[in-house]
Amino acid sequence: MTTVRTTPATPPPRLPVRDKAAALGRGWGGVSPMLTRLAAERATGILVRERGSLHLADGKVVHAESPAAPGADVLLAAHGTLDADVWRQALAESVASTGSAGTGARRLTGAEAVHRAGRRLVAGGLLSPGALEMCRLTALYDAAYFALAPSSTPGRFRYGTEDGPDEPAVEPREPDDIPGGPRPVPVADLERETLRRRDLLHRIWPDALPDEVPLAREYRPAPPLLPARRQAVLARVDGIRTASEIARELGRPAFHTLVDIRRLVAAGVVAPRPPVSLTEPPPGPPADGPPVELVEPVDPHITLLKRLRDALEAL
């Protein structure tokens, strides 16, 4: 142990403290160290994680995909902005324009296919550039939230394109008179937004179980008044659908649907329904092997006590 002799004229040295302003500027939050390293390297490729993937170009995110989040096509077609068949046709034409197998053309990545399909729709006057970009960014942030969720398996990164950088690329002829283009999202901004969304959900309801399992209604004698947006979500809670399935049916971003669902859980009108195994053994002689564990349903009184505890802690 090292000791430092101090006098009134020589005060003790200050302890090292992390610069919070610099950390905030970097967007560091421990979301994905691998993604932070790839951003510093200005890497190009696809980061594949347990719950989704991120497409990077020069260290910035240009596209995100997740099975838990609806794509841009679902968001565009949900409220009549664009017909679903029109989007599928534009997507198929963009993929077909690269050539067939054996022509030396590489297969488009998901980000390239979506981008070129959107450019075709804008060039044909079926979609405005602003609507396309807003929908693209909404879908990107939505899918990235799930792709960057804590996982039990390590992520892997594929440099270059999906088919590798060694194949020659034949670029199709696309319209070039479209104002603006897809703006890549810096990794620091994406991590900050992901942390903000996590904190928001935690403040509404700290338990993340309703995000994953089927949801069931909790009938109350005097249910609270709900806005129309939450009523639409509640109408699709049937004990079978999950939050992601409800989001796809409504054509809404999955994260926004999670916000509504956690508010419904906090209000006591919705509860998660974890999978329940058989409550009775099958008829006949007992089978060999270990006994099947029985999963007990969630006690509503325990749920109520948890809500009271969280409310008291928030005071």
Side-chain angles (χ1 to χ4, degrees):
M1 180 176 180
T2 304
T3 60
V4 179
R5 184 183 300 276
T6 62
T7 63
T10 59
R14 298 181 60 184
L15 295 175
V17 193
R18 187 179 63 192
D19 188 354
K20 295 183 179 180
L24 182 62
R26 292 192 307 268
W28 180 88
V31 177
S32 173
M34 184 177 185
L35 180 59
T36 304
R37 177 177 61 82
L38 293 171
E41 295 178 1
R42 302 188 63 179
T44 296
I46 303 175
L47 175 61
V48 181
R49 290 173 57 88
E50 184 177 15
R51 300 192 61 188
S53 60
L54 300 175
H55 296 240
L56 277 70
D58 292 331
K60 295 183 179 180
V61 181
V62 296
H63 183 71
E65 297 174 346
S66 173
D73 56 333
V74 177
L75 301 181
L76 284 171
H79 307 288
T81 305
L82 185 70
D83 187 79
D85 293 334
V86 174
W87 173 267
R88 283 192 289 266
Q89 181 181 357
L91 193 63
E93 291 176 354
S94 298
V95 174
S97 64
T98 58
S100 58
T103 60
R106 66 169 174 83
R107 182 164 53 94
L108 290 178
T109 65
E112 292 170 337
V114 170
H115 168 51
R116 291 177 180 174
R119 286 174 62 89
R120 285 178 176 271
L121 294 173
V122 172
L126 300 175
L127 194 63
S128 66
L132 174 63
E133 183 65 4
M134 182 174 64
C135 185
R136 186 191 71 87
L137 288 176
T138 300
L140 188 153
Y141 277 100
D142 195 40
Y145 171 79
F146 296 96
L148 293 175
S151 61
S152 58
T153 58
R156 62 185 187 276
F157 186 73
R158 298 199 299 264
Y159 286 91
T161 61
E162 292 178 352
D163 292 320
D166 296 329
E167 299 187 9
V170 178
E171 298 294 335
R173 182 176 298 175
E174 296 287 342
D176 296 325
D177 56 346
I178 300 174
R183 300 184 58 183
V185 178
V187 168
D189 294 348
L190 194 63
E191 288 189 338
R192 272 196 297 267
E193 177 62 17
T194 300
L195 293 174
R196 186 195 68 83
R197 295 187 176 200
R198 289 182 187 176
D199 181 66
L200 174 61
L201 290 179
H202 183 79
R203 285 188 281 112
I204 295 174
W205 184 255
D207 187 7
L209 184 62
D211 302 350
E212 307 291 340
V213 301
L215 302 166
R217 294 196 185 190
E218 290 285 303
Y219 294 97
R220 298 178 55 181
L225 295 177
L226 300 174
R229 179 181 181 85
R230 249 169 272 165
Q231 289 178 2
V233 175
L234 182 61
R236 286 162 175 78
V237 174
D238 57 358
I240 300 175
R241 294 185 179 97
T242 62
S244 297
E245 292 170 345
I246 293 175
R248 291 184 185 277
E249 290 193 16
L250 292 175
R252 298 177 182 176
F255 172 77
H256 296 176
T257 306
L258 291 185
V259 172
D260 291 327
I261 287 175
R262 291 215 191 184
R263 293 190 188 279
L264 291 172
V265 174
V269 296
V270 169
R273 182 183 178 185
V276 180
S277 61
L278 296 176
T279 56
E280 297 181 0
D288 297 334
V292 179
E293 295 185 2
L294 302 181
V295 180
E296 298 182 359
V298 178
D299 190 346
H301 298 288
I302 296 179
T303 303
L304 176 61
L305 291 175
K306 288 182 178 180
R307 288 202 299 269
L308 291 175
R309 180 201 61 189
D310 296 330
L312 292 173
E313 290 179 351
L315 295 177

